[in-house]
Amino acid sequence: MADAIVPLKFVITDPAPNRGKSEPASWQVNIESDNGTMWWSTSGHLPEGVEAGSPPLVDTITLQWNTPSAVNLSPGTTALTLTALATDGEGARGADFTQASMEGVALTSSGLWFLETSKFSTLHHLPNGSEDVFSYPLAFNVGSNLVHLDGQNLLLTGGTDLSAWAVSDGVPSASPSWTIAPPLVPQTGTIRFVRRAPIATTGPALAHVGWADRVQALNASGLVIQSWLLQGEESLIDATVMEDQMVCLVRTAALELRLIRFQMDSGARLGSITWTPQAQGSLGVTGLAWLVAIQGDPAALETDGTYRRWYQEPNGDTGIQSGTLSGSGEITAAGRLESGASWFSRAQAHLVGQDLSAIATLDCPIAAVAEDRANARVWVLKDTGIGAPPTWQSLNAINWNTTQVVDPEFLGQWGLGTIAHNRPGPL
């Protein structure tokens, strides 16, 4: 299967030469498919040569092969030939073969989960192909974040604490598998976000969790794999991975906005840039701002539609480029898709490419987006009018054409959604 550790072992014999002393024997192991694709190859030498008249040298070689991740393995069965090739000290060669196969699992999804917090914390599930929504009131602190950890049958909710709920046959557990309290620091407040870590940077499924003073990568057991720490004067607004760096948008104690780059593996701080927001709705301790990508660079959005792109030129020049997004009205929500495209919601909702070119537009604002990679769909939470309840709608991921609507009676005042996939990674 994908992401497996396969033990390999073979015995090599180097016979004595006819005269003198031979060079150390060598070996090579190849794993390739029937069509000639090489999946893995490694080689080595025995510790010493063999002298004439001495007994042959016999050695056992023990190896292990890590199969490709599910992202890089096509669905279905791939037939393999495993070859162990030996060359003795005088150049004679011998080989042995065995057959094996890899099983790639097709990416599937089991439907939309969404969280309602208008009355109490309740999880709702709309399975794929179903018209019925199943509701599960759970005993946990009011949640403002929800994500399904791909391939783990685990739902993470984030409010004051971070909790993990095991899902069996589509039903969440009555009590959490584990709960993590906020770090003991002066800065407090609810969790800023809980998201799946991009598969390109993680391999197995990890969650990125934003606390007031840091971003953490956690595995399905709640173990912290990596942390990116802010300084004492900084408070986290949002964070995302761009070009193999963790990028954070923060508010400073002086009520400025700041973008920060961190090294992914070490957590080292690489640099930052700071400015004073100008939009009325982005000012002060409770001011709003969002993090997206423009031309591959980190960009912060202010409520009036102004963007601040932090550019870094190959020659070392860096700075802030300001501009204005398309559309009218104040920004109420924004984010990025796993494809790298950004979306923002004003009087209309806009999906744009890296160069801000329009990809799709909806005729009303949206509050949240959940991506279904298996079916090339996105679910959006649409605000259909003043006083009317919001509505989850399933859209084509490319052009945002509507395909399915959830009965609005389940949604309360607002919610956040996530798609349950059977494994990490793209199609």
Side-chain angles (χ1 to χ4, degrees):
M1 302 300 295
D3 297 304
I5 299 176
V6 182
L8 305 172
K9 182 183 291 187
F10 64 95
V11 176
I12 182 173
T13 301
D14 186 11
N18 293 326
R19 64 180 67 85
K21 181 177 180 179
S22 65
E23 297 295 322
S26 63
W27 55 266
Q28 180 172 330
V29 173
N30 295 332
I31 299 179
E32 56 188 331
S33 60
D34 289 345
N35 63 9
T37 301
M38 183 70 70
W39 286 97
W40 188 66
S41 180
T42 189
S43 60
H45 290 82
L46 296 190
E48 55 186 334
V50 182
E51 296 184 357
S54 63
L57 177 62
V58 180
D59 198 1
T60 299
I61 308 298
T62 301
L63 305 166
Q64 69 178 31
W65 175 47
N66 295 342
T67 60
S69 67
V71 181
N72 300 315
L73 192 56
S74 300
T77 301
T78 300
L80 300 175
T81 299
L82 285 65
T83 305
L85 178 67
T87 304
D88 74 12
E90 294 185 300
R93 309 184 81 185
D96 199 5
F97 307 88
T98 192
Q99 304 297 314
S101 62
M102 290 189 297
E103 292 295 329
V105 178
L107 180 68
T108 62
S109 66
S110 57
L112 172 71
W113 287 89
F114 54 97
L115 179 68
E116 180 221 323
T117 59
S118 58
K119 300 176 183 177
F120 46 81
S121 295
T122 301
L123 282 169
H124 304 285
H125 184 210
L126 177 68
N128 282 339
S130 172
E131 295 183 356
D132 297 322
V133 176
F134 299 88
S135 301
Y136 305 96
L138 297 178
F140 64 98
N141 293 331
V142 173
S144 56
N145 293 276
L146 173 70
V147 70
H148 178 272
L149 204 52
D150 283 347
Q152 300 292 334
N153 290 324
L154 202 68
L155 284 166
L156 303 184
T157 59
T160 304
D161 302 325
L162 178 69
S163 296
W165 308 82
V167 179
S168 177
D169 295 327
V171 179
S173 56
S175 58
S177 302
W178 47 263
T179 297
I180 297 176
L184 296 175
V185 296
Q187 297 188 56
T188 59
T190 59
I191 289 174
R192 293 349 189 214
F193 65 83
V194 184
R195 299 193 187 101
R196 285 188 291 260
I199 184 62
T201 66
T202 65
L206 297 176
H208 281 166
V209 181
W211 304 93
D213 73 324
R214 71 193 66 191
V215 179
Q216 292 179 330
L218 293 88
N219 65 12
S221 301
L223 180 65
V224 176
I225 305 300
Q226 182 58 273
S227 293
W228 299 271
L229 299 176
L230 302 181
Q231 296 174 352
E233 63 159 344
E234 298 168 343
S235 180
L236 182 68
I237 297 175
D238 200 0
T240 190
V241 177
M242 295 186 193
E243 297 181 344
D244 296 328
Q245 294 177 347
M246 176 61 72
V247 179
C248 295
L249 172 63
V250 307
R251 179 174 287 103
T252 70
L255 302 182
E256 298 170 313
L257 294 179
R258 177 176 294 163
L259 286 167
I260 311 167
R261 296 176 186 262
F262 292 89
Q263 208 276 337
M264 280 296 296
D265 296 330
S266 69
R269 188 175 178 121
L270 301 176
S272 65
I273 197 161
T274 307
W275 71 98
T276 300
Q278 300 298 312
Q280 184 64 35
S282 297
L283 302 178
V285 177
T286 59
L288 300 176
W290 298 266
L291 178 60
V292 296
I294 295 177
Q295 297 181 23
D297 296 321
L301 307 183
E302 298 180 22
T303 54
D304 64 354
T306 299
Y307 68 81
R308 314 287 186 180
R309 170 181 162 247
W310 182 16
Y311 66 85
Q312 290 188 326
E313 303 293 351
N315 63 4
D317 290 345
T318 185
I320 288 284
Q321 177 203 16
S322 297
T324 303
L325 299 174
S326 58
S328 61
E330 289 198 343
I331 294 180
T332 56
R336 296 179 68 218
L337 303 183
E338 294 184 33
S339 64
S342 296
W343 63 271
F344 58 91
S345 182
R346 309 184 74 175
Q348 296 176 312
H350 303 262
L351 177 67
V352 295
Q354 293 280 9
D355 59 355
L356 295 180
S357 59
I359 298 176
T361 302
L362 297 179
D363 59 1
C364 65
I366 61 175
V369 175
E371 296 181 73
D372 184 345
R373 299 190 314 272
N375 295 298
R377 294 283 186 267
V378 295
W379 285 87
V380 299
L381 184 59
K382 297 179 67 174
D383 183 1
T384 54
I386 298 176
T391 304
W392 278 107
Q393 291 194 348
S394 172
L395 310 177
N396 181 292
I398 298 176
N399 57 22
W400 280 21
N401 286 335
T402 302
T403 58
Q404 187 177 2
V405 180
V406 178
D407 190 330
E409 72 175 270
F410 293 99
L411 296 176
Q413 294 179 2
W414 65 282
L416 200 69
T418 184
I419 302 297
H421 293 103
N422 66 322
R423 64 167 176 80
L427 291 172

